[in-house]
Amino acid sequence: MHRPSFTASHLAAALIVAACMQPAAAFAAGAVSFDEVKRGFRSSDTAVLDRSGELLQRVRTDATVRRGQWIPLADVSPALRMAMVLSEDRRFYEHSGIDWRAVSSAAWANLWNTRTRGASTITMQLSGLLDEDLRRANSGRTFTQKIGQTVAATQLERNWRKDQILEAYLNIVPFRGEIVGIDALARTLFGKAPSGLDAREAAVAAALVRAPNAKPAQVAQRACEVMRAMEPGQKIDCDALDMFTSAAVQRRAFDANEGIAPHAARRVLKELAEAEATAKSAAPARQAGPRETAVRTTLRAPLQRFALDALQRHLKELRGRHVEDGALVVLDNASGEVLAWVGSSGPLSQAAEVDAVTALRQPGSTLKPLLYAQAIAERRLTAASLIDDSSAQINTASGLYIPQNYDRQFKGPVSARTALAASLNVPAVRTLVMVSPESFARQLRAAGLPLRENGDYYGYSLALGSAEVSLLSLTNAYRMLANGGRYGTTTLTARTAAPPPVSPTKAKAGDNASAAAPMLDPAAAFIVGDILSDANARTRTFGLDSILSTRFWTAVKTGTSKDMRDNWAVGWSQRYTVGVWVGNASGASMWDVSGTSGAAPVWAEVMRFLHAREPSRAPRPPAGLVEARVAFGPGADGNPLEAARGEWFLQGTEQPLFALDTGAGTPAANTAAARIIAPVDGTIIALDPDIPPLHQRVRFESEGRGVQWRIDGKHFARGNSAQWLPWPGRHVIELVEATGKVVDQRRIEVRGAGVVAKNARR
């Protein structure tokens, strides 16, 4: 058979003629620079960095493709570089973009229908990847595309170095499925960086370039050929390579999201997306820029790691008490920057995706400092005012509200300092009666707490944290107290040009907080901070050796919500505010977790870490404060109610003596004329048939000295309080002085069938 005389020189001439007929677009791939390609590369992930540029979290943000980071050629294993060149372009370092020997061989093979490896060089393939007009379709490239690809490859070789061509090729070549680039391939199929690929892994990677979506057996066969080329004369175990390849192509080791700050990463990416959407709506004609693949946050990576470890370690200790979730946030007092954001306990949780930093939960007693601050600012109380910690029955539209203390015990008359520091519930409710729920709710909203309802909806239980708030908003409200009553927003995204660091010794609360007038009286905020830093004032509940006490100045408050579903510890130092929550994302109750065994140990550990090398000094008192010596009158036992001490007052509210019957205290603290406090007039009491009658009692409370109780005209008891065993019917309760004069009375009704006879006989 006669073979046509078709030489490489003839082909070259044809290529040159055809190239002259190509449009300018055919040269786009060859005209682009290496630096432009590298700058235009976009990972399918976004790297979330800390304030110093350290990687915190990698988040997949492009679902259409799987790309890793751009890998410099020096960071690609020598085995992979060798495998790729031997597989795709043996004379890569010898030709100038076109392998004419391969072209000639391919041309003869096409004429005589003989299979060869093809004539496409790495440079030609790269030009096809860089220019969409030259990109290969499912049916293959057209003759025109091949000519354009050849011309573009020649230009690339003229403008780029060989190492740049190979580096770009390895970073943008498709491998298998959605995987593009050597970084994504190495991490997905082999679970390692490209620098660590061995000869076997490199052979599989090179085989996938030739047949990206081939069956594992075909990929293994091709990989075996590459291995033989890489290790000539060596015996290659292709059967073992077949098993290895089958396992590798099915592996997906490249997680979509990994790191130590998943919830903070999602939050900052959401904020950036919202900011971009706002900017686009404001200027719709504006062209969107390329998506950033690295975002810098305000977080500190060492602090984030420590906080996460401390929270997980403590929660492991609490697993026997039915606790599996927790969250933590650290704020910079002056700037509002978030320094640590731990949204969950991670693998310890069955709801690790839930961000407990922003989830709404009941804050328990952690709202009390804001309540007392408001009452002091409105001059309804001073830190020395006496408040009665005794059984209270408060009449509301929905019935009687009867608050209880955590330990189910009452302390009698106590100062506001003791009531807040020891977290007593009844005094807090009495304080809210003075302030009013609606006024307090407005104050909470102004402090950034997202109350869903008005104050009347929550009623007096708002003093004990019946509203739902987030850990972030609550911690920022405490930051407001640290900043002398000035409210400011928090930020998680690092500024483009960060402000110069503030020396801890020179920084003071509120240095660059909101410049607006304080939302809360700075003097009232100072007094509350002074109370929450007073270890002696909290001894009635927490004891002398409390986990809340630190070697440096801090102010802190714990809280536990109803049925022990949430436990909190929030407090601040000179420079930082730290908030910790523990509980269960499901809302299930914890078992035997107190204010000092739940969140407080984590709070204390993080505070110690923050101040290992930084001092924390007490704030300077603002203008409008007076420090005065106060004494307290005698209690029922004849001893002073509290020890004499120096106390802080808003100017004009100071006084030397606080007592029950001298008229020196505040209206809430002093004894008024004899009267019945509880029950209120018109109370209807329903007996519960499921509770034994002897266990159902009504508590009577009164003010005044030397009083007696009468029920339906008959003497019942003496003293300010009494327990009455109710029986059905309408009753008149009278409070009688020693002289026999009736000074107050209440009419009540007891309902409940089935216990009449038994009670009537008593």
Side-chain angles (χ1 to χ4, degrees), residues 228-249:
R228 289 194 179 102
M230 294 173 66
E231 301 176 0
Q234 298 292 323
K235 185 178 180 180
I236 306 300
D237 188 347
C238 291
D239 291 336
L241 186 58
D242 189 354
M243 289 188 292
F244 173 79
T245 304
S246 296
V249 297

Side-chain angles (χ1 to χ4, degrees), residues 516-556:
M519 190 208 75
L520 180 69
D521 188 330
F526 175 89
I527 292 173
V528 167
D530 186 67
I531 292 172
L532 296 182
S533 67
D534 188 348
N536 291 326
R538 69 170 75 104
T539 55
R540 289 202 179 188
T541 298
F542 300 98
L544 289 171
D545 187 20
S546 169
I547 189 69
L548 302 176
S549 299
T550 57
R551 294 178 179 271
F552 44 90
W553 188 89
T554 53
V556 60

Side-chain angles (χ1 to χ4, degrees), residues 101-431:
R101 289 169 58 183
V103 168
S104 179
S105 175
W108 284 111
N110 288 336
L111 286 173
W112 299 106
N113 199 26
T114 304
R115 291 191 64 185
T116 67
R117 63 167 296 279
S120 181
T121 64
I122 286 178
T123 314
M124 293 172 67
Q125 292 180 52
L126 177 61
S127 66
L129 294 170
L130 294 176
D131 192 335
E132 289 189 8
D133 292 335
L134 303 179
R135 199 155 295 169
R136 180 187 180 93
N138 292 334
S139 58
R141 288 188 178 88
T142 64
F143 180 75
T144 303
Q145 284 180 313
K146 290 179 180 178
I147 297 302
Q149 185 183 30
T150 303
V151 176
T154 304
Q155 285 192 335
L156 277 176
E157 290 277 352
R158 188 180 301 125
N159 300 326
W160 293 24
R161 301 190 310 268
K162 286 287 187 180
D163 62 316
Q164 293 176 330
I165 292 172
L166 185 57
E167 180 177 319
Y169 176 75
L170 290 173
N171 277 285
I172 67 176
V173 66
F175 281 95
R176 188 173 185 84
E178 63 178 2
I179 301 172
V180 173
I182 193 59
D183 188 40
L185 177 81
R187 296 185 185 278
T188 302
L189 269 58
F190 308 118
K192 58 174 65 173
S195 59
L197 298 184
D198 58 25
R200 183 174 58 171
E201 294 161 339
V204 173
L208 286 170
V209 172
R210 183 69 59 86
N213 298 311
K215 295 180 179 179
Q218 293 175 284
V219 177
Q221 182 181 1
R222 174 62 185 154
C224 196
E225 295 174 7
V226 176
M227 284 285 289
R228 289 194 179 102
M230 294 173 66
E231 301 176 0
Q234 298 292 323
K235 185 178 180 180
I236 306 300
D237 188 347
C238 291
D239 291 336
L241 186 58
D242 189 354
M243 289 188 292
F244 173 79
T245 304
S246 296
V249 297
Q250 297 178 53
R251 188 179 295 122
R252 291 292 181 270
F254 199 15
D255 293 334
N257 194 348
E258 61 181 2
I260 60 172
H263 302 89
R266 287 204 299 266
R267 173 80 173 202
V268 74
L269 292 177
K270 180 182 178 183
E271 289 179 356
L272 287 174
E274 291 174 349
E276 290 175 2
T278 302
K280 187 175 181 180
S281 63
R286 179 183 173 186
Q287 192 72 18
R291 178 180 54 82
E292 292 294 332
T293 56
V295 177
R296 187 165 297 207
T297 68
T298 59
L299 301 179
R300 294 181 185 173
L303 174 61
Q304 180 75 14
R305 276 191 292 270
F306 180 86
L308 178 61
D309 176 71
L311 182 66
Q312 290 180 340
R313 188 166 15 90
H314 185 63
L315 287 175
K316 287 177 182 177
E317 298 174 2
L318 293 177
R319 287 303 290 266
R321 303 188 189 184
H322 196 235
V323 185
E324 67 175 31
D325 291 299
L328 185 151
V329 67
V330 180
L331 303 178
D332 182 282
N333 288 344
S335 66
E337 292 178 334
V338 181
L339 306 180
W341 181 307
V342 181
S344 82
S345 57
L348 303 179
S349 173
Q350 297 184 40
E353 293 299 309
V354 175
D355 188 354
V357 170
T358 57
L360 298 179
R361 312 284 300 202
Q362 288 191 340
S365 293
T366 55
L367 293 187
K368 290 176 183 175
L370 301 169
L371 171 62
Y372 280 93
Q374 182 176 354
I376 292 172
E378 294 177 357
R379 298 176 178 250
R380 299 177 186 276
L381 284 178
T382 72
S385 296
L386 293 174
I387 310 174
D388 192 18
D389 180 30
S390 61
S391 177
Q393 299 180 32
I394 301 173
N395 191 32
T396 69
S398 57
L400 289 178
Y401 178 56
I402 308 176
Q404 297 287 335
N405 286 325
Y406 180 80
D407 58 5
R408 300 287 176 176
Q409 297 179 1
F410 298 103
K411 308 297 188 295
V414 295
S415 69
R417 173 175 291 270
T418 299
L420 174 56
S423 197
L424 302 179
N425 287 345
V426 175
V429 174
R430 294 189 191 279
T431 301

Side-chain angles (χ1 to χ4, degrees), residues 1-4 111-112:
M1 180 182 292
H2 174 72
R3 295 186 178 185
L111 286 173
W112 299 106

Side-chain angles (χ1 to χ4, degrees), residues 390-393 400 402 675-680 683 685 697-703 707-712 714-727 731-735 746-750:
S390 61
S391 177
Q393 299 180 32
L400 289 178
I402 308 176
R675 65 185 182 91
I676 297 174
I677 298 175
V680 298
T683 296
I685 300 170
R697 305 269 177 167
V698 177
R699 187 177 182 87
F700 295 166
E701 290 287 339
S702 70
E703 291 180 345
V707 294
Q708 304 177 34
W709 296 92
R710 288 199 312 216
I711 299 178
D712 298 332
K714 297 180 180 179
H715 174 77
F716 170 64
R718 297 178 183 275
N720 292 110
S721 64
Q723 296 279 352
W724 175 58
L725 183 66
W727 64 87
H731 306 282
V732 177
I733 301 169
E734 296 173 317
L735 189 67
R746 297 287 186 271
R747 296 181 182 275
I748 66 171
E749 180 180 352
V750 179

Side-chain angles (χ1 to χ4, degrees), residues 2 46 186 261 270 322 330 343 508 566 625 630 730:
H2 174 72
T46 297
K270 180 182 178 183
H322 196 235
V330 180
K508 57 182 182 291
D566 309 277
L625 275 178
V630 297
R730 291 183 173 87

